[in-house]
Amino acid sequence: MATTQNLNALQLEILKEKAVRLRIDSVRATTEAGSGHPTSCASAADIVSVLFYAVMRFDPRNPRRTDNDVFVLSKGHAAPLLYAAWAEAGAFSPERLLSLRKIESDLEGHPTPRLPFVDVATGSLGQGLSVGVGIALDAKDLRHSGQRVYVLMGDGESAEGSAWEAAQWAGLHRLGNLCATIDINRLGQSQPTMLQHDLETYRRRWDAFGWQALPVDGHDIAALLAAYRQASDTRDRPTIVLAHTLKGKGLGAVEDDEHWHGKALDRETANKVVAELRKQLTGADAQWEPNFPADLPAGSAGSAGSGQPRAASDAKPPYEIGGKETATRKGFGDGLAALAPVDSRVVVLDGDVKNSTHTEEFEKAAPDRFIQGYIAEQNMTGMAMGMAARGRVPFVTTFACFLTRAYDFIRMTAISNLSVKFVGTHAGISIGEDGPSQMGLEDLAMMCAEPNFTVLYPSDATSAWRATWLVAEHAGPCYLRTGRPASPILYGPNEQFAIGKCKVLRKSGNDRALIVAAGVTVPEALRAYETLQEQGIPVRVIDLFSVRPIDREELIASARDAGGLVVTVEDHYEHGGIGDAVFAALAGERFRGYKLGVREIPRSGKPAELVEKFGIDHRRIVSAVQSAIA
């Protein structure tokens, strides 16, 4: 269908029949699987039919074309509807829908990017709108593309705070290429939703956030077409289509029944429902043709995730061993600024702390690729997910402790295996007087728990600069942990670092213990080394640097050379940090391990006082080694 203007009766009939087929396919797939959400699919079938078969411009045979309009299913439990829509468009055979939720099938219970038409894993509700905002921002302001982004939300998820973080950001930035739809079917999982069918309250709320809000009957094809036409004609603000629907629409007795969330129809009921639905089909929908994008010839190649490779550069960290002490957060900021002119894929999203994270250095170098996320860490992460899905390399930066606000999004970043680079500054008790609420002390445990994550923890400005470039080049999600206090420069500008490798800073042929440190505890470990040397106790010191993947080979060799005595020291809670990572790497070896970490909720104080009080300073390291040897 080339246009939504002046649709004739045949074209309206095509869209109605496509909606019926989407309901049939959703019922058949979930009944075959024995689980799923057919009623949640049925309520949105007319919406999806209009979007896929009249409104959106896309090549169903090439879902990754850069000029395709984008559809984001935020209500991920309606996955069968998404799969049915692509199958009906010709992306794959509809019979494949019957493999839904089977272990050998990529048609999973909630969508993941194993499928070429899925940008980001969804199913944890309240995330899709932020993802859509990121994609729309990239298309509008960075690629200057005519691409439009459509997000389908559920009414239940509109209770999530992250949805309103996204709403206010998109409204502020007037993303006219973004159109979201809420499937307001009134019913949640266990009871009716907050507003049920009160569309006027929905309208007032979204209007207050700067959106064009269009209430509509979500089962009226012509009304939906008119709403989406109005959305495409509105360029100065995003549009929200508020679709009044019935859960289970068209599925017989279960229609608008609040006890049918997440339940597949039994075969007998499903057969009856499908038989009734098929009576509405005349075969008119066979005449549908794709609405290809205008920017490229139909069938041409193009990948949304191909990105632009980084150009070669001779840039080096500007620090010298023994030079002015510099915080690792500053090393990160300087490295990021140096990266700006040589890698146009890189964008930076900062949570209103750019003068502390030093991302303002990147803003000076590439202002068009710096995005102020404000104090809304969930939306900031969701936007980065959307941008990463379209080939960008986004850095998400804030204090390490505040990344906990976005952890659900971080988890979905890992499931999606997106190349989002998280940078947590002001980590640990060494930040000083701000107190425990500002001290990121669980961030390593959080990030290392997620699949696909690379976690780096530099100890000086040089290694932080290098780490910034390493994570930018590395495919997949990464976490870079940096600190607030100025630290000694331990490495010169020519020192090379690698993901998965540590640095052995001190060693001898007769070491009696291995000390493994990272970040701010590396200088403490080196001070402990000097004291122990004076006492005639040779020890080996490792700067871990790469927490995940970890340098297991070097750790095992060094632990053996040190007689099996290993002491770890970290500015992190004792559980889940570098101690656990090191000891896990040594599993199967004969060794004695001693973990020094923060074992209680800390308090305000000067950095040096806190490091000493909570047992991660050089004196405690010396004591631990002495006690272990004795």
Side-chain angles (χ1 to χ4, degrees):
M1 238 172 250
T3 179
T4 62
Q5 305 275 350
N6 304 318
L7 289 177
N8 58 35
L10 173 61
Q11 292 169 319
L12 288 173
E13 185 62 26
I14 288 173
L15 296 178
K16 290 177 182 178
E17 290 203 11
K18 283 294 187 186
V20 171
R21 291 196 187 277
L22 295 180
R23 290 186 172 95
I24 290 172
D25 288 341
S26 297
V27 169
R28 291 180 67 228
T30 51
T31 296
E32 181 67 23
S35 62
H37 299 75
T39 57
S40 297
C41 296
S43 62
D46 300 294
I47 297 166
V48 170
S49 176
V50 170
L51 286 174
F52 269 73
Y53 310 122
V55 174
M56 295 197 311
R57 303 159 301 170
F58 69 103
D59 182 350
R61 298 290 184 178
N62 188 0
R64 302 302 294 173
R65 265 178 58 159
T66 55
D67 57 345
N68 282 343
D69 285 342
V70 179
F71 179 79
V72 177
L73 179 67
S74 189
K75 49 175 285 181
H77 51 291
L81 178 63
L82 175 69
Y83 306 152
W86 279 97
E88 288 292 334
F92 57 88
S93 169
E95 288 309 305
R96 184 179 164 194
L97 296 171
L98 298 181
S99 70
L100 176 72
R101 292 179 168 235
K102 291 182 169 57
I103 194 168
E104 71 280 0
S105 175
D106 288 341
L107 304 183
E108 300 183 80
H110 291 76
T112 70
R114 290 190 177 100
L115 295 162
F117 49 80
V118 175
D119 284 294
V120 175
T122 55
S124 187
L125 294 174
Q127 297 194 13
L129 186 58
S130 293
V131 170
V133 170
I135 298 173
L137 172 68
D138 180 62
K140 174 177 176 285
D141 291 348
L142 298 183
R143 290 191 290 112
H144 307 291
S145 162
Q147 183 182 65
R148 292 186 59 76
V149 181
Y150 296 90
V151 180
L152 178 59
M153 305 166 62
D155 50 353
E157 71 179 288
S158 67
E160 290 278 9
S162 56
W164 297 102
E165 288 183 13
Q168 65 181 343
W169 201 97
L172 175 67
H173 291 270
R174 298 183 175 275
L175 294 181
N177 61 337
L178 174 65
C179 177
T181 304
I182 303 183
D183 175 19
I184 305 175
N185 62 28
R186 186 182 71 84
L187 298 173
Q189 175 170 325
S190 63
Q191 66 179 49
T193 57
M194 285 184 181
L195 298 179
Q196 298 193 48
H197 277 143
D198 184 0
L199 267 66
E200 176 56 22
T201 298
Y202 276 107
R203 187 199 63 76
R204 291 200 308 269
R205 289 180 179 181
W206 286 89
D207 183 69
F209 276 78
W211 289 58
Q212 173 178 238
L214 304 176
V216 66
D217 180 347
H219 301 306
D220 184 330
I221 299 293
L224 286 166
L225 283 166
Y228 291 122
R229 187 180 306 124
Q230 185 172 341
S232 64
D233 290 340
T234 302
R235 304 301 175 87
D236 64 342
R237 52 181 169 157
T239 296
I240 185 85
V241 176
L242 303 170
H244 180 295
T245 63
L246 296 178
K247 199 162 189 172
K249 174 68 174 178
L251 304 191
V254 305
E255 183 178 301
D256 201 32
D257 188 331
E258 67 178 279
H259 302 297
W260 274 93
H261 181 91
K263 296 179 181 179
L265 304 183
D266 63 77
R267 288 194 181 275
E268 181 180 358
T269 303
N271 288 339
K272 291 179 181 178
V273 166
V274 169
E276 287 300 312
L277 288 170
R278 281 180 172 154
K279 291 178 181 178
Q280 302 175 38
L281 299 176
T282 66
D285 63 308
Q287 300 181 55
W288 175 78
E289 294 180 357
N291 182 14
F292 288 110
D295 297 344
L296 291 176
S300 63
S303 171
S306 60
Q308 179 177 339
R310 182 178 65 83
S313 173
D314 296 325
K316 293 181 180 179
Y319 320 108
E320 297 289 344
I321 296 175
K324 180 183 178 182
E325 292 193 351
T326 304
T328 51
R329 61 185 169 120
K330 181 64 164 63
F332 154 69
D334 290 344
L336 198 60
L339 192 60
V342 297
D343 195 339
S344 62
R345 300 171 305 157
V346 173
V347 294
V348 174
L349 301 95
D350 189 278
D352 193 25
V353 285
K354 63 183 179 182
N355 55 341
S356 291
T357 60
H358 290 284
T359 56
E360 61 186 2
E361 302 304 322
F362 182 91
E363 183 182 20
K364 295 172 186 174
D368 58 322
R369 288 184 279 131
F370 178 86
I371 300 160
Q372 178 56 260
Y374 305 99
I375 304 174
E377 293 84 3
Q378 295 179 99
N379 181 58
M380 184 167 65
T381 302
M383 289 170 61
M385 292 165 67
M387 299 182 86
R390 310 312 287 184
R392 296 288 170 187
V393 178
F395 280 76
V396 174
T397 60
T398 187
F399 293 3
C401 60
F402 301 143
L403 286 172
T404 59
R405 298 292 292 270
Y407 192 51
D408 186 29
F409 284 74
I410 292 169
R411 170 178 164 267
M412 296 302 283
T413 300
I415 292 173
S416 302
N417 198 26
L418 294 167
S419 289
V420 180
K421 317 304 175 182
F422 296 93
V423 183
T425 68
H426 294 64
I429 59 174
S430 55
I431 71 165
E433 292 88 344
D434 279 343
S437 70
Q438 309 299 294
M439 298 172 176
L441 286 162
E442 58 285 291
D443 53 320
L444 291 177
M446 285 170 42
M447 300 302 187
C448 287
E450 293 302 328
N452 303 320
F453 255 83
T454 294
V455 178
L456 302 183
Y457 187 8
S459 59
D460 78 338
T462 297
S463 55
W465 196 102
R466 293 290 188 189
T468 304
W469 282 56
L470 285 172
V471 298
E473 295 168 348
H474 184 72
C478 299
Y479 177 58
L480 179 58
R481 188 184 211 231
T482 64
R484 178 184 187 182
S487 302
I489 304 298
L490 304 176
Y491 303 103
N494 293 316
E495 188 76 27
Q496 297 298 311
F497 293 81
I499 291 171
K501 294 296 181 180
C502 64
K503 292 289 184 180
V504 180
L505 300 183
R506 303 288 188 273
K507 67 182 292 186
S508 72
N510 59 341
D511 292 326
R512 301 182 64 187
L514 168 63
I515 302 170
V516 183
V520 297
T521 61
V522 172
E524 297 294 329
L526 292 175
R527 291 180 68 184
Y529 167 86
E530 298 295 338
T531 301
L532 292 166
Q533 281 288 98
E534 294 171 0
Q535 297 175 2
I537 304 175
V539 295
R540 187 166 302 195
V541 178
I542 282 181
D543 174 0
L544 189 60
F545 180 69
S546 182
V547 183
R548 186 181 183 202
I550 201 165
D551 194 345
R552 185 171 185 267
E553 182 178 347
E554 181 58 56
L555 289 170
I556 289 175
S558 289
R560 288 175 179 173
D561 290 347
L565 174 58
V566 181
V567 177
T568 63
V569 55
E570 60 190 305
D571 191 2
H572 186 275
Y573 283 133
E574 188 180 30
H575 178 74
I578 71 167
D580 284 357
V582 169
F583 295 158
L586 295 175
E589 294 291 307
R590 294 176 63 88
F591 74 96
R592 289 180 294 149
Y594 297 83
K595 284 197 297 184
L596 300 180
V598 180
R599 299 182 178 182
E600 59 184 290
I601 297 173
R603 57 187 300 123
S604 293
K606 295 186 181 303
E609 295 173 332
L610 292 165
V611 168
E612 178 181 1
K613 180 176 179 61
F614 292 98
I616 57 173
D617 69 327
H618 65 284
R619 297 182 185 85
R620 190 63 61 90
I621 299 170
V622 169
S623 176
V625 171
Q626 291 172 335
S627 299
I629 291 174

